[in-house]
Amino acid sequence: MRQLLCLGLFSLLCSCGALPEPTMPAGDPAEEKIDPNDPPPKPEDAPPPEVPTLASLPSRYGYDTVPVRGRGEAFATVFVEGGKAPVATDTDAAGNFCVDVPLKESERQTLEVFVQDERGVTSDPAAKEITQDASLAQYETPTQPLVNLAPGLPVYADETPKDGLLRDATDGDPTTSVNMSKSFVWVDLGDLYDVETIEIIFPDQVGSGNDEFATEYLVMSSSQTSPTLPPSPSSADWTVVYDIYPGSGIAAGDGGADTFALPTPMRTRYIAFYLIENNKTDWFSSENIRFAELRIDGRSTEALPAQPLIPTCANGRMP
């Protein structure tokens, strides 16, 4: 029986050929990929990285952090010790680096900068002594940001809206609107601001088939705490900033957004519009004026606190 089994196996091998070699499981293709931008690996017996070169640093310095710039081996790690806390960063393909180093307050300290390659081998340090002295810091008074002052402000008028709500004009939603007859409309900014741009947005414009936008109106302002209300162009409390009418030469009165960029900032508290007439020719509807939003861009007149001119890697200022 054993002989018959052996003869059967022998016949099978002869008829089918050699048995296939066992296959090994394939490795992870992602592990086999090599990034062509990566530097070639260093031999284990290569010398350590060279000492990094540092950009100029002052011996006395007025801020809490100092940007340390320099150059070392490409694609390496840079460590800085000796300040308030150790920090690290990487060099780029050219070997350049910059790292913001926190300093010990009111102390003389020696910053040591090391470069470490991918083997974990570290260079000798480049050293720089620096004394932190807050009395040397320089400051600037920043400019107030330009913002839309109108959102959420109450809107007032000397006439009742035909439809819509006056607050729709400052709700930040251009799809809501208010329809007024010939009337004065105004907002109180609540304080003095340096206004740079005034804008009134009408939902319709020329060619839309609905001409309920103002073609004649006044833009007025007042810097008074309690000016004459309703506003009046003849009152000494109010100044006519723009007078819009056909032929006035002012690029407005055709619907859409009428934007008035003031040539110089205007310090004011109140902004008013005297809505006079729209583009319709019939008497009954010529005073229907629909507007969607009021936008008043300005800067607060309250001075911001002075800010230190701290050099950082991000802002590019040099120490």
Side-chain angles (χ1 to χ4, degrees):
M1 184 67 178
R2 185 179 301 171
Q3 289 178 345
L4 290 174
L5 288 173
C6 291
L7 287 172
L9 288 172
F10 178 76
S11 300
L12 182 62
L13 290 172
C14 292
S15 63
C16 299
L19 291 174
E21 292 290 333
T23 58
M24 300 298 292
D28 184 357
E31 295 178 356
E32 298 174 3
K33 291 180 180 179
I34 298 175
D35 189 340
N37 297 318
D38 287 344
K42 271 188 174 184
E44 288 300 321
D45 59 351
E50 294 184 1
V51 176
T53 57
L54 302 182
S56 177
L57 287 173
S59 58
R60 300 185 69 82
Y61 186 70
Y63 306 99
D64 294 339
T65 62
V66 59
V68 175
R69 297 178 172 87
R71 176 174 291 181
E73 185 175 296
F75 301 110
T77 302
V78 176
F79 298 93
V80 184
E81 299 178 350
K84 187 175 183 179
V87 290
T89 191
D90 294 326
T91 60
D92 61 18
N96 298 311
F97 66 87
C98 182
V99 59
D100 293 320
V101 179
L103 299 176
K104 302 169 186 173
E105 297 179 9
S106 305
E107 288 189 26
R108 184 170 62 184
Q109 51 223 282
T110 300
L111 303 181
E112 294 187 322
V113 185
F114 304 84
V115 172
Q116 186 178 90
D117 62 21
E118 76 272 11
R119 301 171 300 165
V121 178
T122 304
S123 71
D124 289 333
K128 175 64 181 180
E129 189 176 89
I130 187 169
T131 299
Q132 199 278 337
D133 181 355
S135 68
L136 301 176
Q138 296 181 332
Y139 292 80
E140 69 173 355
T141 301
T143 301
Q144 286 278 3
L146 186 65
V147 296
N148 182 8
L149 305 169
L153 289 180
V155 182
Y156 305 95
D158 65 338
E159 296 287 341
T160 301
K162 293 187 173 183
D163 63 74
L165 301 171
L166 284 167
R167 66 169 180 262
D168 291 341
T170 56
D171 65 355
D173 184 356
T175 64
T176 60
S177 62
V178 56
N179 188 15
M180 303 294 297
S181 61
K182 183 176 181 179
S183 57
F184 287 93
V185 175
W186 67 94
V187 293
D188 177 6
L189 302 179
D191 203 349
L192 287 172
Y193 290 90
D194 287 331
V195 172
E196 298 187 16
T197 305
I198 301 170
E199 183 174 78
I200 182 170
I201 301 174
F202 302 98
D204 304 306
Q205 54 190 345
V206 168
S208 66
N210 187 353
D211 295 335
E212 291 182 346
F213 55 83
T215 55
E216 295 186 35
Y217 62 98
L218 303 180
V219 181
M220 300 183 294
S221 74
S222 176
S223 60
Q224 303 297 315
T225 303
S226 301
T228 301
L229 294 174
S232 171
S234 61
S235 170
D237 292 346
W238 290 90
T239 299
V240 175
V241 184
Y242 289 101
D243 184 358
I244 298 94
Y245 57 91
S248 64
I250 299 173
D254 57 358
D258 287 357
T259 305
F260 305 96
L262 300 168
T264 57
M266 176 180 66
R267 183 162 294 193
T268 190
R269 173 166 175 167
Y270 288 81
I271 296 292
F273 298 86
Y274 181 26
L275 306 174
I276 302 172
E277 192 166 292
N278 68 19
N279 201 38
K280 292 186 181 293
T281 56
D282 60 286
W283 177 86
F284 179 75
S285 58
S286 65
E287 292 185 357
N288 286 350
I289 298 174
R290 181 179 298 279
F291 59 100
E293 286 294 315
L294 302 178
R295 182 182 178 98
I296 303 166
D297 290 344
R299 305 177 193 271
S300 172
T301 57
E302 182 180 353
L304 293 173
Q307 300 294 318
L309 292 167
I310 304 174
T312 67
C313 293
N315 64 31
R317 294 192 185 116
M318 301 302 291

